[in-house]
Amino acid sequence: MIKESSYWAAKAPKELAEEMLHKRDEYWTFLENSGIMGELKRSYSMFYGNSAIDELQDGKTAMTVNQYGSLVRSLHTLVCQNRPAAEARAMNSDYDSQSTVLLANGLLDYYMKEKRLEDLLKNAALLSLFLREGWVTAEWNTKLGEPVAIDPESGEPINNGDIEFNVYSILDIIRAPKGKTQWHIIRKETNKYDLAAQYPELADEILSCGLKITDRRKWSLSYIADTEKEADSDLVETLTLYHAKSPALPEGRVVTIVEDTVLLDSPLPYQKPYIFSISAMDSFQTNFGHSPAMDLMPMQDALDTAFSIALSNINSFGVGSLISEKGTLQINQIKEGLLHLEHSKGSAPPQMLNLLQIPNEIFNFAETMIRNQETISAVNAVARGNPPSQMSGTAMALVAQQALVFSSSLQQSYNTLIENVGTALIQLLQTFAHEPRVAQIAGKVKKSMLKEFKADDLLGISRFVVDSANAFTKTTAGKVE
């Protein structure tokens, strides 16, 4: 039983629910007042190719040449195109421990491929580029896995459980903006009918809750149309507090609420909260990450303006007009699409009036913006698959290497994420996989086999480590060289 104290995370359940709602509101206010929320919405819109130009107000035809999204995806590809080699570490060096290492390595590969864990890690890396941070969580879900028994009371099957991984953005992981923090609150929109089935004793309270469209819009980066009544929404907002074990809370704490209804309140069942972040760099004196992609947005706005000016001119004056002396031109239509122009003798023949004069400076400016974006992001034309025609293979390899060096901080963060998630995977299986289960694992020669295991078979593993190597050697250019 958690003892009550003045510490907010140790309060009684009902009081703690109020504190969690207050922390959520404080977090949103900070994001809004600090300008982070506006920056995130702008980056989200720009990444998916939406122009910030108002056609009616500016009198332009809006056009977006989405260099921003292309550069972000290129950076993401540089980091994630090859999975780093993660190796399990055993606490001992005897034969049995080394056999356990092979099993642990095979299990990580199994979850990466068969359970699509690698896709989630890549999604988190992409979020870290255009939304500053990406987050991955791991927890044991007793509803997953294979049926091993039947509940005598309900008649429902009892599963042996499995690990559930989830990806979250900066908006979903509520934390203190500054200082060392031992807690995180995860915000999630969940189907209330699924929650009611999961907590039947609280079904009435859960079903009476609802997530207003105004609240969904407040937390959303994309547009949410007002197509349904707020009272008819199937979604509710759940907040889950994960507090690490500390002197103030020796057993840690996990609390899940819907509005002010407490669904779950228990000690932390894990060694620590399995909540991991990835970011290209840390924002100094804050608990937030930062992305170099944020520096590209002003140039994308300028690029859109340049191309919109050119397109507006083409739309307005692209169709040529004839000019002639007054009263000297007669137009006869011979047949559809064929005209006969007759002008008076001695008068100047009709001429095309060309108003489509787009200054070269506009296109020079656009090219300058593209080069500046490539310079700032270090994703050069070679890395994007558009090398200069006169560049040698050796020179292209050197330029490609420069792009990889620039992305090394994100690469290191990605490697750390794999280490943390892999270690969490093994620790969760060591703690909860008491029933035998089967996984398809591959050995060093990549030949697959079905392997039965349980928690005791993994007790010799302490953690996963990613052995860093020169990332250039994993690229096509590096292999050729």
Side-chain angles (χ1 to χ4, degrees), residues 42 59 198 263 266 283 353 414:
R42 185 181 172 201
Q198 187 176 353
L263 304 183
S266 72
S283 182
L353 178 62
Y414 187 61

Side-chain angles (χ1 to χ4, degrees), residues 420-431:
N420 290 333
V421 170
T423 301
L425 184 152
I426 292 300
Q427 290 178 352
L428 285 169
L429 291 175
Q430 289 172 339
T431 304

